[in-house]
Amino acid sequence: MIGVHVSEILQWIAMSSIRRWYLFAVCAVSLQAVAWAAIVLLRGLLNPRLQADFELISVQIAVIIIGLPIFLWHWSRARDHFVDQAVDGVVDAGPAPLYLYLMLLGFIGPVVANAITLLVALCHIILGLSSKLLPNDMNASEAIMSSVVALLVLSILSLYFRRQEREEVKSDSKESQGSVADVRRGYLFVLSIAGLSLTIYSLIGLLNWILLQLFVEQKVVGLNSAAAVVVDEVARLLVGLILWQLSWGRAQALYHSGLRDEQESSVRKLYLYTLVFVGSLAVVTTAATVLSGVLRGWFGLVNEGEIHIAVSSIIGFGIVWSYHAL
């Protein structure tokens, strides 16, 4: 008799878990569809070139009308399952933390891309450049309008889910015994490594261009020509640096807060040692390539390498190596 009851309880828990995954999956798909439909619709209404495209506008309106009620209905039930039944004193938070942080990543990624586009477009207007910015031939003013619309919609949704995250962290500290904190660490380190990668990639590209102008071509091009070359790298560098500092700064604040789980986190150690390994490997490999080129020059052999690319890579990855090793 007891075995029958245990079997029924386990069956109920399994069905409850499947239901929660279903609810959060539908919420994720429907909200993303509604968000991008709203962005495309606003872009079409504000862009004179797209206002006559009634098919585009009608499709986005249909997606919003159908998708928004689906999201609201499933979300009203999914929120009741943020913290579910306790088993052996441990509260099962289910897919709720994973859903929250995946949704935040899904919004922050396009925010970063549109922020870069916005900075590039503003620089083009300030410097009087008239070149096209995007593959679909948008000019600077159209790119600004397009990116601002996306940033507005995505930022509102990000702030909403950020508030939901704060509520979930409060319940996590009281009930779910760290399940949200585990996912949060992964989320912060994903954002951190994305921002750091964008920063280092842009820094290497910028240093490469500067060294090329100073030591290879031995001249500095005019302001307009230089801006056309470096404006993309500077925009990516600034956005990447901000993203890295915000996410890594939050991870550092949690580490220094004295929480034992944060200080003993294996995810944090894996993050740090991976970056130390990648940075040291890149520096040593590139330095060996430079030394090989120097030796080839001494022996009178043809050297096909470009020293400015190697130097910029050593500087960029050297920063990664030294900072994370420290």
Side-chain angles (χ1 to χ4, degrees):
M1 198 68 178
I2 296 177
V4 173
H5 285 301
V6 171
S7 177
E8 290 178 354
I9 292 173
L10 292 176
Q11 218 171 22
W12 179 85
I13 292 175
M15 290 301 297
S16 177
S17 179
I18 293 173
R19 184 172 186 269
R20 282 181 292 171
W21 281 101
Y22 159 77
L23 288 173
F24 285 118
V26 174
C27 287
V29 173
S30 58
L31 184 58
Q32 287 288 346
V34 170
W36 284 103
I39 291 172
V40 175
L41 178 62
L42 290 174
R43 285 173 172 174
L45 294 175
L46 295 175
N47 192 336
R49 291 195 305 161
L50 301 177
Q51 288 178 357
D53 193 347
F54 296 105
E55 181 179 356
L56 173 68
I57 294 176
S58 61
V59 169
Q60 307 313 321
I61 293 176
V63 172
I64 295 174
I65 292 176
I66 295 174
L68 188 58
I70 292 175
F71 167 74
L72 292 175
W73 189 89
H74 285 82
W75 180 238
S76 64
R77 281 147 184 80
R79 293 182 63 184
D80 297 334
H81 292 276
F82 268 8
V83 177
D84 211 324
Q85 294 291 334
V87 180
D88 295 331
V90 179
V91 177
D92 178 18
L98 188 61
Y99 167 78
L100 286 177
Y101 288 112
L102 284 179
M103 291 299 290
L104 281 171
L105 287 176
F107 294 135
I108 292 174
V111 164
V112 170
N114 282 277
I116 294 173
T117 300
L118 178 61
L119 287 178
V120 172
L122 289 174
C123 289
H124 276 245
I125 289 181
I126 293 173
L127 298 172
L129 303 175
S130 59
S131 59
K132 301 298 181 181
L133 296 177
L134 299 177
N136 54 355
D137 290 337
M138 285 197 298
N139 56 38
S141 59
E142 290 173 341
I144 290 175
M145 180 273 299
S146 177
S147 57
V148 167
V149 167
L151 288 172
L152 179 63
V153 174
L154 295 171
S155 297
I156 291 173
L157 292 172
S158 298
L159 290 174
Y160 174 76
F161 277 90
R162 181 72 177 88
R163 189 182 70 177
Q164 295 295 322
E165 180 217 359
R166 285 196 294 267
E167 295 177 358
E168 189 70 359
V169 169
K170 290 180 183 178
S171 66
D172 176 70
S173 61
K174 298 177 181 178
E175 299 176 351
S176 59
Q177 299 184 5
S179 61
V180 179
D182 292 336
V183 183
R184 180 183 60 194
R185 277 191 292 270
Y187 158 79
L188 289 176
F189 290 134
V190 167
L191 283 184
S192 180
I193 201 167
L196 180 62
S197 299
L198 191 60
T199 301
I200 295 301
Y201 171 80
S202 304
L203 178 62
I204 290 175
L206 195 58
L207 289 174
N208 182 35
W209 180 85
I210 293 174
L211 293 175
L212 177 65
Q213 299 299 315
L214 294 179
F215 299 106
V216 178
E217 297 184 0
Q218 296 183 348
K219 64 178 181 179
V220 179
V221 297
L223 178 60
N224 289 336
S225 299
V229 175
V230 304
V231 67
D232 289 347
E233 301 293 351
V234 172
R236 281 195 290 266
L237 178 64
L238 290 176
V239 174
L241 189 60
I242 292 172
L243 177 62
W244 176 54
Q245 282 300 303
L246 288 177
S247 53
W248 177 244
R250 188 180 175 194
Q252 286 290 82
L254 290 170
Y255 176 80
H256 292 294
S257 64
L259 296 175
R260 182 177 179 182
D261 289 345
E262 295 293 340
Q263 294 180 345
E264 296 180 357
S265 170
S266 57
V267 177
R268 176 187 173 87
K269 295 175 183 177
L270 177 63
Y271 170 83
L272 288 173
Y273 282 109
T274 298
L275 289 176
V276 170
F277 173 75
V278 171
S280 61
L281 181 63
V283 170
V284 171
T285 303
T286 308
T289 303
V290 172
L291 180 58
S292 174
V294 172
L295 294 176
R296 290 175 65 88
W298 283 351
F299 293 132
L301 301 175
V302 177
N303 184 13
E304 297 178 353
E306 298 186 37
I307 187 68
H308 62 281
I309 297 177
V311 171
S312 58
S313 298
I314 290 174
I315 294 175
F317 285 104
I319 293 174
V320 174
W321 181 12
S322 58
Y323 175 80
H324 292 90
L326 180 63

